[in-house]
Each structure stands twice: as C-alpha cells, then as structure tokens.
Amino acid sequence: MSKTPDSSVTQTVRVAIVQARYRADPRAQFAQTIELISRAAAQGAELVVLGETWLGGYPAWLDHCADVALWDHPPTKAAFAACRRASVTVPGEETRALSRLAADLGVVLMIGVSERVERGPGHGTLYNSLLTIDADGTLLNHHRKLVPTYTERLIWGPGDAHGLRASDTAAGRLGGLICWEHFMPLARQAMHEEAERIHVAVWPTVHDMHQVASRHYAFEGRCFVLAAGQLMHQDELPPGLERATQPAPDGLVLRGGSAIIGPDGRYVTEPVFDREDIILADLDLEAISRESMTLDVTGHYARSDLFHFELQDTTRKEPHT
C-alpha cells in the first residue's frame, strides 16, 4: 500500500489488537506474546498492537495494594525488584526476537514494554516505553512516556521527546502515545503534526475516561485510533502486599476495554471488556480525507498566523548499543 498521507487511492489495512491476560512469569508472558502475534498474523493482520508495558508488566499493585509508598517496606521492594527483572532492554534479547518475528510474519508491531537501561548514563532506570517495529524487522521508533502518572513515578523515570514522531511502515503512517499522554494537549499536537494515519493508544485498561480520551484523539487528529488494554487477574499481584481495593467477583484488576475508533470519533469496533480476544478491523484510510474536510488541526483549522508550535528537544542522552 502507499505510505503517502495525501494519496487519492482508497486504501485498506487490516489491524489487530491483542487483548490477553498478563502472566507474571516473564518467560510465560513472552511465549504467549509470540503465540498471540502469530495468531493475529494468521488472521491477516498487517499491524498487531499489544498494550501498555505488556512486556515487563503493568504495575497494577501501585493502585490496588496498600503500603506501596512506605519507606523500607520489604514486600514493595521485592515487587520493584521483580518488575526490574521482568523489564526488557532496548535493544535486547526480547526486542531482537520480536524483530525476527515481525520479519518472518511480515507484520508491523507496536508493543508496550517496561524498559530497563543496562549501561551508560541513567543505567538502572526503568521507563514506560512503546516500540514500533516494521514488517522487515526494523525498530523504527522507541518512545518513552514523558511523565509517569501519579504512583507510576515510584518506579519509572520521565521520558523524552525523541519518540514523539510517526513512522512510515508497511501498514501506513503510524504513531502512538502512552496512557495519560493523551491528556497532554501539546503531546497530542506534536503527534498531529506528524501526520499519523493510524494512532496507537496503549493503556493498562481502557475504562470510561480512557475511552473518552481515545475517541477525542481520533476526532481531533482525524486518524484511526487503536485503544489497547489488557487483562490482569489479582493472582498476578505481588505476594506480601495487602489488597487496598475490593476484589471484583471475577478477580480481574485490569479489564481490557480495547476498541478501534474511526477519524469521526465513532467506534469501528466497540470496546471489549473482561475477556481475551484478538480484535480485528479493516480500516478504510480514505475516511481520513473525508473527515479532514471539516477539521484539520494542522492545516486549515490551525491558524498558524496566530499560533506557533515547536518541539524543543528530541535528543536522547544515553547511547544504545
């Protein structure tokens, strides 16, 4: 398919969101990642998306367990150590395996990871990151969440603007943001300026306000949005930390809610809660041109004579080898 955003030829692309239950065992989690991506590709997906820190694990214990902010609290320190061990390096063994898989299957991947820096400045720091891997296995983009949200600051460092960009991929021009970055107006505008055709919004779970943010992003940016959530059972919470919230009858602490949204803000696929699924849709990218007639926040609706937008610094400080 053409990668040019102004193509007059109707284009379609099949996309998939993998919504599955997280496994606290990193080996089991990675094995099911490979299996699920392969299943999505077998169903014709050209782009496969997995949610926020799918590899490494979303630290739901920060919000669902008590005493996590106490000084010198052994269960919390043990939970952080487990999170650090499960986090992946970029590049590293897991990311190289994903690149090989993408190339073997001919699919584009966007996947959330908890990232651990192994060497150089900032070594030992963890980041909430989003990776874009093209269908030839090339790692095209490596975005780190700009501001870890609230309790997340206990474990993740603040990211940079290096990854605030879209990439031309075999599935079209593709970008993404992580969770509450979708509530940051200037981060949204930075990505709108990148002329995304498809935007990936990764969340731990896509509850009501996250649905609002994802639909607003699609409407504002005149792009398709893949809002990706995941499932987590209370059994996967760290041992030794007392539950601070009342467990649901089914034991889920993350409930999914993945959905696909069109450039008019309407659902292409309705949110899917409380079950594992591979959510597929065929996107008509020409819909972006149709909807841009009324609103284009980087073009005729931008008033560049009145407003000026500039991204200050997109450098990344530490080396990646």
Side-chain angles (χ1 to χ4, degrees), residues 159-241:
D160 52 44
H162 177 79
L164 284 181
R165 51 196 171 95
S167 302
D168 288 321
T169 77
R173 191 155 176 84
L174 179 64
L177 291 173
I178 302 167
C179 200
W180 274 39
E181 289 181 323
H182 293 87
F183 297 115
M184 300 174 72
L186 298 183
R188 295 200 311 269
Q189 186 62 25
M191 295 307 300
H192 297 333
E193 296 282 347
E194 288 287 298
E196 297 169 294
R197 306 277 273 168
I198 302 172
H199 176 84
V200 172
V202 293
W203 310 87
T205 189
V206 199
H207 60 56
D208 181 60
M209 285 306 299
H210 297 168
Q211 296 287 342
V212 170
S214 300
R215 294 184 67 184
H216 176 267
Y217 191 100
F219 184 89
E220 179 181 81
R222 287 313 198 232
C223 59
F224 287 92
V225 169
L226 278 61
Q230 59 187 288
L231 306 177
M232 183 183 289
H233 194 273
Q234 62 185 0
D235 291 347
E236 308 296 344
L237 293 172
L241 288 173

Side-chain angles (χ1 to χ4, degrees), residues 33-52:
T33 301
I34 299 297
E35 177 189 353
L36 291 166
I37 292 170
S38 300
R39 283 173 50 194
Q43 296 179 65
E46 300 166 71
L47 166 65
V48 181
V49 173
L50 297 101
E52 183 174 2

Side-chain angles (χ1 to χ4, degrees), residues 53-70:
T53 61
W54 170 252
L55 289 182
Y58 186 77
W61 48 273
L62 289 170
D63 295 322
H64 292 275
C65 297
D67 299 332
V68 295
L70 291 177

